[in-house]
Amino acid sequence: MASGYVDPLLHAGAQDEAVYGHAAARMLRTGHWMTPIFLERFMLNKPPLLMWAGAASMRLAGINPLALRLPVLAAGVLCCVLVYWWLRRSQSMEAGIAGVVLLLGTPVFYSITRKFMTDALLTLFVVAAMFLIAADPRWERRATAIAFGALSGAAVMTKSAAGLLPLLILAVYWVLAGSQERPPLPRVLLAWVVAAMVAAPWHIYEFVVHKDWFVAEYVRFQLLGSGITAPSRYTGDTNFWFYLRTLLFTDPVLLLFWLTSLPWIASVAKWGGPPGPRPTPPSAFVWSLWGGRERPPHCKAQARLLAAWIVTSAIGLGVFGTRAAYYLLPLLPALVLMSAGFSPLLRGRLAWPVCAVLIVSFGVKEWGGDASWGLDYGANSVPSASALENYSRLRRTNELLIVSPDDEFYASVLDLPKVRYVYLTSLDATKTSEFFYRLGMILSSQEFCSLPRLLPVYEQRLRSWKLPEGLQPEATLIDSGAISNLAEVIRCSPDRDFLVPEALRENAVTAAAATHAATQTQAGRFFLLSKNSSRRPEGSTAPGTVGPD
């Protein structure tokens, strides 16, 4: 869990996997499915469809990481199936095979479809919705509009505003398609209505039942803060350069094929191709390279659909405040479909040899392993994973404070009674908001040591925001501000355990000499174990544990 990188260039960790995994496991164990909970607080930054899918999967296959990830793995497989099916409807078998190999060989797609995160599920809904348009460009069947709307609503329930992407692509396609080829406006409106019927109930429920929390986290923090105004937490590059560089350094093969397809798809989108009079330049040259073959009547519509898909996705990436490589995921199938469907390299006698070269390049990527362009099939873990797993087997009743954490919230999916995080440097501004401080979920080291006195104030505020009494998220994060304050936190926590970086051993052991025992170093960290402890009874499992009871 929370293993590997979600960005092969910047080596950003898979923190969200542990967050969503904890929430999914908690839903299953507690039976409270409507409102996700993480570390004893409501988590309303995303709708819960991914967590519902993970919890349902674990109910069928057992509570374990593989069962949790099954919906995401299935989404990746279905994306490949739809890409192949799309290409085989209008292209050759070699084009279909090339499309699947290109998609599977993209490091970002490979990585994210193995992690319990929202992006793979969102991408499946986008690809499926676009496939419906490709199969029925004019929406002659009413069922097309209904299915498209349902997929769009599911996309919103997966990743909030980013889930509007299918509907936005539809709007751009409607403009590009022309009056004779676009779907009828009433059916477009029907799709929007169906999408609203799918997505609205959960949003209305949270707004009515948890209004303060919903407005603060979902609207102000996630949509208006992280979504629009927040700077990237990973890089200061412009959006355009960041995503272009990511494609260039992670999958230059896909980028090359896509560039070769641009003149052809532009020609198809404008002229469509034969039948008809002999084309005139520049279309004559283009169609001579196609071998003079007639293109299916719907090829023009598909070219415009792919153009709408890429343009809309690119605008979304440019407008969105934060930047991360995995945000490219919904765009990648469009690049693959355009490359495999319109590149001259996959036409005529060149098709099978080029397809073979792509298969060989896939093997080279696998051989490349952890290179930015490689496919790493190794089992990766966060640095402190083994130490935390060994600690959880002790079944101690004490709270655990993780100092300068590097676990990407991995501890939250282990069987631990309570976990807090101590930061010795300033917290990431993109991960915090004013209401976290007001409700006491983030405290300074001084406030943490005065927690018994401050607790009634924070509890009253939390109850006014409808947090159930059994949940106590106060001081989940401790913003100590400096290494010098760590000793104060240790001294005021005689009954708590600590996981501390080895570099801080001298200061930490001195502060804890009378109350804790230090362990040996493991993976660059050591534990300070409180001398006042007992063993938890067998059969008691923390609700967010992604593992058997």
Side-chain angles (χ1 to χ4, degrees), residues 152-190:
S152 300
V156 173
M157 286 298 295
T158 300
K159 201 165 182 178
S160 185
L164 293 173
L165 183 58
L167 293 168
L168 297 176
I169 295 172
L170 173 62
V172 175
Y173 170 72
W174 194 86
V175 173
L176 295 179
S179 59
Q180 300 301 315
E181 298 177 357
R182 63 170 61 121
L185 187 57
R187 292 199 169 168
V188 171
L189 296 176
L190 174 61

mmCIF file of all heavy atoms in Angstrom, residues 152-190:
data_model
loop_
_atom_site.group_PDB
_atom_site.id
_atom_site.type_symbol
_atom_site.label_atom_id
_atom_site.label_comp_id
_atom_site.label_asym_id
_atom_site.label_seq_id
_atom_site.Cartn_x
_atom_site.Cartn_y
_atom_site.Cartn_z
ATOM 1 N N SER A 152 -20.942 9.669 -17.222
ATOM 2 C CA SER A 152 -20.480 10.999 -16.810
ATOM 3 C C SER A 152 -20.771 11.247 -15.337
ATOM 4 O O SER A 152 -19.939 11.800 -14.605
ATOM 5 C CB SER A 152 -21.132 12.075 -17.672
ATOM 6 O OG SER A 152 -20.814 11.901 -19.043
ATOM 7 N N GLY A 153 -21.960 10.826 -14.887
ATOM 8 C CA GLY A 153 -22.275 10.961 -13.468
ATOM 9 C C GLY A 153 -21.346 10.136 -12.603
ATOM 10 O O GLY A 153 -20.903 10.569 -11.529
ATOM 11 N N ALA A 154 -21.016 8.923 -13.073
ATOM 12 C CA ALA A 154 -20.072 8.083 -12.335
ATOM 13 C C ALA A 154 -18.694 8.729 -12.295
ATOM 14 O O ALA A 154 -17.970 8.627 -11.278
ATOM 15 C CB ALA A 154 -19.995 6.706 -12.977
ATOM 16 N N ALA A 155 -18.299 9.399 -13.370
ATOM 17 C CA ALA A 155 -17.004 10.090 -13.382
ATOM 18 C C ALA A 155 -16.980 11.207 -12.340
ATOM 19 O O ALA A 155 -15.976 11.400 -11.632
ATOM 20 C CB ALA A 155 -16.735 10.660 -14.773
ATOM 21 N N VAL A 156 -18.075 11.955 -12.221
ATOM 22 C CA VAL A 156 -18.155 13.002 -11.195
ATOM 23 C C VAL A 156 -18.089 12.390 -9.807
ATOM 24 O O VAL A 156 -17.423 12.916 -8.903
ATOM 25 C CB VAL A 156 -19.438 13.833 -11.367
ATOM 26 C CG1 VAL A 156 -19.619 14.804 -10.197
ATOM 27 C CG2 VAL A 156 -19.402 14.601 -12.682
ATOM 28 N N MET A 157 -18.756 11.260 -9.607
ATOM 29 C CA MET A 157 -18.738 10.588 -8.309
ATOM 30 C C MET A 157 -17.386 9.951 -8.011
ATOM 31 O O MET A 157 -17.141 9.518 -6.886
ATOM 32 C CB MET A 157 -19.832 9.525 -8.258
ATOM 33 C CG MET A 157 -21.224 10.091 -8.104
ATOM 34 S SD MET A 157 -21.407 10.996 -6.539
ATOM 35 C CE MET A 157 -21.206 9.672 -5.344
ATOM 36 N N THR A 158 -16.522 9.904 -8.999
ATOM 37 C CA THR A 158 -15.174 9.385 -8.791
ATOM 38 C C THR A 158 -14.192 10.484 -8.445
ATOM 39 O O THR A 158 -13.408 10.366 -7.507
ATOM 40 C CB THR A 158 -14.680 8.640 -10.049
ATOM 41 O OG1 THR A 158 -15.561 7.557 -10.326
ATOM 42 C CG2 THR A 158 -13.271 8.113 -9.862
ATOM 43 N N LYS A 159 -14.236 11.592 -9.200
ATOM 44 C CA LYS A 159 -13.218 12.630 -9.005
ATOM 45 C C LYS A 159 -13.772 14.033 -9.106
ATOM 46 O O LYS A 159 -13.116 14.938 -9.626
ATOM 47 C CB LYS A 159 -12.064 12.442 -9.983
ATOM 48 C CG LYS A 159 -10.790 13.132 -9.504
ATOM 49 C CD LYS A 159 -9.559 12.689 -10.245
ATOM 50 C CE LYS A 159 -8.345 13.408 -9.645
ATOM 51 N NZ LYS A 159 -7.094 12.987 -10.281
ATOM 52 N N SER A 160 -14.975 14.228 -8.601
ATOM 53 C CA SER A 160 -15.521 15.572 -8.441
ATOM 54 C C SER A 160 -15.528 16.321 -9.779
ATOM 55 O O SER A 160 -15.971 15.800 -10.794
ATOM 56 C CB SER A 160 -14.710 16.315 -7.373
ATOM 57 O OG SER A 160 -15.246 17.568 -7.092
ATOM 58 N N ALA A 161 -15.019 17.562 -9.784
ATOM 59 C CA ALA A 161 -15.100 18.413 -10.972
ATOM 60 C C ALA A 161 -14.371 17.819 -12.162
ATOM 61 O O ALA A 161 -14.776 18.030 -13.313
ATOM 62 C CB ALA A 161 -14.544 19.794 -10.653
ATOM 63 N N ALA A 162 -13.294 17.059 -11.928
ATOM 64 C CA ALA A 162 -12.583 16.414 -13.042
ATOM 65 C C ALA A 162 -13.487 15.434 -13.772
ATOM 66 O O ALA A 162 -13.266 15.138 -14.952
ATOM 67 C CB ALA A 162 -11.332 15.700 -12.527
ATOM 68 N N GLY A 163 -14.521 14.938 -13.098
ATOM 69 C CA GLY A 163 -15.460 14.016 -13.715
ATOM 70 C C GLY A 163 -16.365 14.662 -14.733
ATOM 71 O O GLY A 163 -17.094 13.960 -15.453
ATOM 72 N N LEU A 164 -16.341 15.978 -14.830
ATOM 73 C CA LEU A 164 -17.117 16.664 -15.867
ATOM 74 C C LEU A 164 -16.477 16.532 -17.244
ATOM 75 O O LEU A 164 -17.061 16.963 -18.239
ATOM 76 C CB LEU A 164 -17.260 18.150 -15.512
ATOM 77 C CG LEU A 164 -18.101 18.482 -14.281
ATOM 78 C CD1 LEU A 164 -17.992 19.969 -13.963
ATOM 79 C CD2 LEU A 164 -19.558 18.099 -14.499
ATOM 80 N N LEU A 165 -15.289 15.943 -17.305
ATOM 81 C CA LEU A 165 -14.549 15.869 -18.565
ATOM 82 C C LEU A 165 -15.362 15.254 -19.706
ATOM 83 O O LEU A 165 -15.371 15.811 -20.816
ATOM 84 C CB LEU A 165 -13.247 15.090 -18.349
ATOM 85 C CG LEU A 165 -12.311 14.977 -19.549
ATOM 86 C CD1 LEU A 165 -11.906 16.354 -20.053
ATOM 87 C CD2 LEU A 165 -11.079 14.153 -19.190
ATOM 88 N N PRO A 166 -16.066 14.119 -19.532
ATOM 89 C CA PRO A 166 -16.844 13.592 -20.672
ATOM 90 C C PRO A 166 -17.882 14.581 -21.192
ATOM 91 O O PRO A 166 -18.074 14.705 -22.412
ATOM 92 C CB PRO A 166 -17.509 12.336 -20.089
ATOM 93 C CG PRO A 166 -16.665 11.942 -18.930
ATOM 94 C CD PRO A 166 -16.148 13.213 -18.361
ATOM 95 N N LEU A 167 -18.549 15.279 -20.288
ATOM 96 C CA LEU A 167 -19.569 16.241 -20.709
ATOM 97 C C LEU A 167 -18.938 17.432 -21.424
ATOM 98 O O LEU A 167 -19.503 17.957 -22.390
ATOM 99 C CB LEU A 167 -20.371 16.707 -19.494
ATOM 100 C CG LEU A 167 -21.238 15.630 -18.833
ATOM 101 C CD1 LEU A 167 -21.750 16.110 -17.482
ATOM 102 C CD2 LEU A 167 -22.395 15.230 -19.730
ATOM 103 N N LEU A 168 -17.772 17.860 -20.976
ATOM 104 C CA LEU A 168 -17.090 18.980 -21.629
ATOM 105 C C LEU A 168 -16.579 18.569 -23.012
ATOM 106 O O LEU A 168 -16.644 19.350 -23.965
ATOM 107 C CB LEU A 168 -15.943 19.475 -20.752
ATOM 108 C CG LEU A 168 -16.355 20.049 -19.390
ATOM 109 C CD1 LEU A 168 -15.127 20.418 -18.571
ATOM 110 C CD2 LEU A 168 -17.261 21.265 -19.575
ATOM 111 N N ILE A 169 -16.061 17.339 -23.106
ATOM 112 C CA ILE A 169 -15.634 16.842 -24.423
ATOM 113 C C ILE A 169 -16.830 16.781 -25.368
ATOM 114 O O ILE A 169 -16.730 17.155 -26.549
ATOM 115 C CB ILE A 169 -14.994 15.448 -24.288
ATOM 116 C CG1 ILE A 169 -13.709 15.523 -23.467
ATOM 117 C CG2 ILE A 169 -14.698 14.859 -25.668
ATOM 118 C CD1 ILE A 169 -13.126 14.170 -23.121
ATOM 119 N N LEU A 170 -17.968 16.326 -24.857
ATOM 120 C CA LEU A 170 -19.183 16.275 -25.673
ATOM 121 C C LEU A 170 -19.551 17.657 -26.189
ATOM 122 O O LEU A 170 -19.927 17.812 -27.363
ATOM 123 C CB LEU A 170 -20.334 15.700 -24.844
ATOM 124 C CG LEU A 170 -21.727 15.738 -25.484
ATOM 125 C CD1 LEU A 170 -21.753 14.905 -26.765
ATOM 126 C CD2 LEU A 170 -22.785 15.244 -24.496
ATOM 127 N N ALA A 171 -19.428 18.672 -25.324
ATOM 128 C CA ALA A 171 -19.764 20.034 -25.745
ATOM 129 C C ALA A 171 -18.844 20.505 -26.865
ATOM 130 O O ALA A 171 -19.301 21.104 -27.860
ATOM 131 C CB ALA A 171 -19.681 20.980 -24.549
ATOM 132 N N VAL A 172 -17.544 20.241 -26.747
ATOM 133 C CA VAL A 172 -16.603 20.649 -27.795
ATOM 134 C C VAL A 172 -16.861 19.853 -29.071
ATOM 135 O O VAL A 172 -16.839 20.413 -30.183
ATOM 136 C CB VAL A 172 -15.153 20.454 -27.305
ATOM 137 C CG1 VAL A 172 -14.164 20.754 -28.434
ATOM 138 C CG2 VAL A 172 -14.868 21.353 -26.101
ATOM 139 N N TYR A 173 -17.100 18.557 -28.939
ATOM 140 C CA TYR A 173 -17.394 17.733 -30.115
ATOM 141 C C TYR A 173 -18.663 18.221 -30.815
ATOM 142 O O TYR A 173 -18.733 18.245 -32.057
ATOM 143 C CB TYR A 173 -17.550 16.274 -29.699
ATOM 144 C CG TYR A 173 -18.077 15.390 -30.808
ATOM 145 C CD1 TYR A 173 -17.273 15.054 -31.896
ATOM 146 C CD2 TYR A 173 -19.381 14.904 -30.781
ATOM 147 C CE1 TYR A 173 -17.753 14.258 -32.925
ATOM 148 C CE2 TYR A 173 -19.871 14.105 -31.797
ATOM 149 C CZ TYR A 173 -19.056 13.784 -32.864
ATOM 150 O OH TYR A 173 -19.539 12.998 -33.886
ATOM 151 N N TRP A 174 -19.668 18.608 -30.053
ATOM 152 C CA TRP A 174 -20.926 19.084 -30.627
ATOM 153 C C TRP A 174 -20.685 20.301 -31.507
ATOM 154 O O TRP A 174 -21.311 20.469 -32.558
ATOM 155 C CB TRP A 174 -21.900 19.409 -29.505
ATOM 156 C CG TRP A 174 -23.317 19.594 -29.943
ATOM 157 C CD1 TRP A 174 -24.259 18.631 -30.114
ATOM 158 C CD2 TRP A 174 -23.958 20.847 -30.262
ATOM 159 N NE1 TRP A 174 -25.450 19.185 -30.522
ATOM 160 C CE2 TRP A 174 -25.296 20.549 -30.619
ATOM 161 C CE3 TRP A 174 -23.543 22.166 -30.274
ATOM 162 C CZ2 TRP A 174 -26.203 21.522 -30.985
ATOM 163 C CZ3 TRP A 174 -24.449 23.156 -30.642
ATOM 164 C CH2 TRP A 174 -25.762 22.826 -30.990
ATOM 165 N N VAL A 175 -19.737 21.139 -31.102
ATOM 166 C CA VAL A 175 -19.402 22.328 -31.900
ATOM 167 C C VAL A 175 -18.614 21.934 -33.145
ATOM 168 O O VAL A 175 -18.874 22.434 -34.250
ATOM 169 C CB VAL A 175 -18.596 23.329 -31.042
ATOM 170 C CG1 VAL A 175 -18.086 24.481 -31.903
ATOM 171 C CG2 VAL A 175 -19.450 23.857 -29.901
ATOM 172 N N LEU A 176 -17.655 21.014 -32.992
ATOM 173 C CA LEU A 176 -16.790 20.634 -34.110
ATOM 174 C C LEU A 176 -17.496 19.767 -35.145
ATOM 175 O O LEU A 176 -17.135 19.786 -36.325
ATOM 176 C CB LEU A 176 -15.554 19.883 -33.584
ATOM 177 C CG LEU A 176 -14.585 20.662 -32.701
ATOM 178 C CD1 LEU A 176 -13.446 19.747 -32.264
ATOM 179 C CD2 LEU A 176 -14.040 21.880 -33.430
ATOM 180 N N ALA A 177 -18.477 18.991 -34.713
ATOM 181 C CA ALA A 177 -19.048 17.971 -35.595
ATOM 182 C C ALA A 177 -19.843 18.544 -36.760
ATOM 183 O O ALA A 177 -19.946 17.922 -37.816
ATOM 184 C CB ALA A 177 -19.930 17.018 -34.783
ATOM 185 N N GLY A 178 -20.408 19.705 -36.622
ATOM 186 C CA GLY A 178 -21.227 20.244 -37.687
ATOM 187 C C GLY A 178 -22.678 19.848 -37.534
ATOM 188 O O GLY A 178 -23.015 18.849 -36.897
ATOM 189 N N SER A 179 -23.554 20.613 -38.130
ATOM 190 C CA SER A 179 -24.997 20.435 -37.919
ATOM 191 C C SER A 179 -25.513 19.092 -38.388
ATOM 192 O O SER A 179 -26.497 18.573 -37.863
ATOM 193 C CB SER A 179 -25.771 21.565 -38.615
ATOM 194 O OG SER A 179 -25.472 21.569 -40.010
ATOM 195 N N GLN A 180 -24.876 18.486 -39.408
ATOM 196 C CA GLN A 180 -25.378 17.232 -39.953
ATOM 197 C C GLN A 180 -24.864 16.006 -39.201
ATOM 198 O O GLN A 180 -25.399 14.912 -39.377
ATOM 199 C CB GLN A 180 -24.968 17.122 -41.432
ATOM 200 C CG GLN A 180 -25.501 18.246 -42.299
ATOM 201 C CD GLN A 180 -27.020 18.331 -42.269
ATOM 202 O OE1 GLN A 180 -27.708 17.317 -42.370
ATOM 203 N NE2 GLN A 180 -27.546 19.538 -42.132
ATOM 204 N N GLU A 181 -23.835 16.163 -38.381
ATOM 205 C CA GLU A 181 -23.201 15.013 -37.752
ATOM 206 C C GLU A 181 -23.271 15.035 -36.230
ATOM 207 O O GLU A 181 -22.971 14.031 -35.592
ATOM 208 C CB GLU A 181 -21.731 14.926 -38.192
ATOM 209 C CG GLU A 181 -21.571 14.735 -39.691
ATOM 210 C CD GLU A 181 -20.104 14.723 -40.116
ATOM 211 O OE1 GLU A 181 -19.240 14.923 -39.245
ATOM 212 O OE2 GLU A 181 -19.838 14.521 -41.315
ATOM 213 N N ARG A 182 -23.649 16.159 -35.654
ATOM 214 C CA ARG A 182 -23.657 16.248 -34.193
ATOM 215 C C ARG A 182 -24.893 15.570 -33.606
ATOM 216 O O ARG A 182 -25.925 15.431 -34.282
ATOM 217 C CB ARG A 182 -23.622 17.706 -33.757
ATOM 218 C CG ARG A 182 -24.820 18.502 -34.195
ATOM 219 C CD ARG A 182 -24.855 19.879 -33.531
ATOM 220 N NE ARG A 182 -23.706 20.680 -33.859
ATOM 221 C CZ ARG A 182 -23.760 21.870 -34.455
ATOM 222 N NH1 ARG A 182 -24.951 22.343 -34.855
ATOM 223 N NH2 ARG A 182 -22.675 22.564 -34.692
ATOM 224 N N PRO A 183 -24.818 15.154 -32.355
ATOM 225 C CA PRO A 183 -25.997 14.595 -31.687
ATOM 226 C C PRO A 183 -27.083 15.657 -31.535
ATOM 227 O O PRO A 183 -26.782 16.843 -31.389
ATOM 228 C CB PRO A 183 -25.452 14.166 -30.318
ATOM 229 C CG PRO A 183 -23.971 14.097 -30.468
ATOM 230 C CD PRO A 183 -23.624 15.118 -31.497
ATOM 231 N N PRO A 184 -28.357 15.259 -31.551
ATOM 232 C CA PRO A 184 -29.438 16.234 -31.350
ATOM 233 C C PRO A 184 -29.336 16.879 -29.965
ATOM 234 O O PRO A 184 -29.008 16.216 -28.973
ATOM 235 C CB PRO A 184 -30.717 15.388 -31.469
ATOM 236 C CG PRO A 184 -30.293 14.122 -32.135
ATOM 237 C CD PRO A 184 -28.868 13.902 -31.776
ATOM 238 N N LEU A 185 -29.633 18.158 -29.911
ATOM 239 C CA LEU A 185 -29.517 18.888 -28.656
ATOM 240 C C LEU A 185 -30.386 18.299 -27.548
ATOM 241 O O LEU A 185 -29.938 18.224 -26.392
ATOM 242 C CB LEU A 185 -29.864 20.368 -28.876
ATOM 243 C CG LEU A 185 -29.624 21.300 -27.681
ATOM 244 C CD1 LEU A 185 -28.169 21.240 -27.233
ATOM 245 C CD2 LEU A 185 -30.029 22.736 -28.043
ATOM 246 N N PRO A 186 -31.625 17.866 -27.823
ATOM 247 C CA PRO A 186 -32.421 17.267 -26.741
ATOM 248 C C PRO A 186 -31.745 16.054 -26.099
ATOM 249 O O PRO A 186 -31.845 15.857 -24.885
ATOM 250 C CB PRO A 186 -33.732 16.874 -27.438
ATOM 251 C CG PRO A 186 -33.831 17.816 -28.593
ATOM 252 C CD PRO A 186 -32.433 18.007 -29.056
ATOM 253 N N ARG A 187 -31.047 15.258 -26.889
ATOM 254 C CA ARG A 187 -30.388 14.086 -26.311
ATOM 255 C C ARG A 187 -29.112 14.472 -25.556
ATOM 256 O O ARG A 187 -28.725 13.799 -24.607
ATOM 257 C CB ARG A 187 -30.103 13.060 -27.405
ATOM 258 C CG ARG A 187 -31.400 12.480 -27.937
ATOM 259 C CD ARG A 187 -31.257 11.181 -28.658
ATOM 260 N NE ARG A 187 -32.589 10.601 -28.893
ATOM 261 C CZ ARG A 187 -32.834 9.592 -29.685
ATOM 262 N NH1 ARG A 187 -31.824 9.000 -30.332
ATOM 263 N NH2 ARG A 187 -34.068 9.128 -29.834
ATOM 264 N N VAL A 188 -28.476 15.538 -25.989
ATOM 265 C CA VAL A 188 -27.339 16.052 -25.214
ATOM 266 C C VAL A 188 -27.835 16.522 -23.843
ATOM 267 O O VAL A 188 -27.214 16.238 -22.808
ATOM 268 C CB VAL A 188 -26.646 17.196 -25.968
ATOM 269 C CG1 VAL A 188 -25.605 17.871 -25.072
ATOM 270 C CG2 VAL A 188 -26.000 16.684 -27.251
ATOM 271 N N LEU A 189 -28.952 17.232 -23.842
ATOM 272 C CA LEU A 189 -29.524 17.680 -22.570
ATOM 273 C C LEU A 189 -29.954 16.491 -21.708
ATOM 274 O O LEU A 189 -29.818 16.517 -20.482
ATOM 275 C CB LEU A 189 -30.710 18.609 -22.831
ATOM 276 C CG LEU A 189 -30.376 19.929 -23.541
ATOM 277 C CD1 LEU A 189 -31.658 20.720 -23.825
ATOM 278 C CD2 LEU A 189 -29.417 20.758 -22.698
ATOM 279 N N LEU A 190 -30.458 15.445 -22.344
ATOM 280 C CA LEU A 190 -30.827 14.237 -21.603
ATOM 281 C C LEU A 190 -29.600 13.640 -20.909
ATOM 282 O O LEU A 190 -29.685 13.197 -19.752
ATOM 283 C CB LEU A 190 -31.454 13.210 -22.553
ATOM 284 C CG LEU A 190 -31.769 11.833 -21.955
ATOM 285 C CD1 LEU A 190 -32.782 11.956 -20.818
ATOM 286 C CD2 LEU A 190 -32.271 10.872 -23.038
#
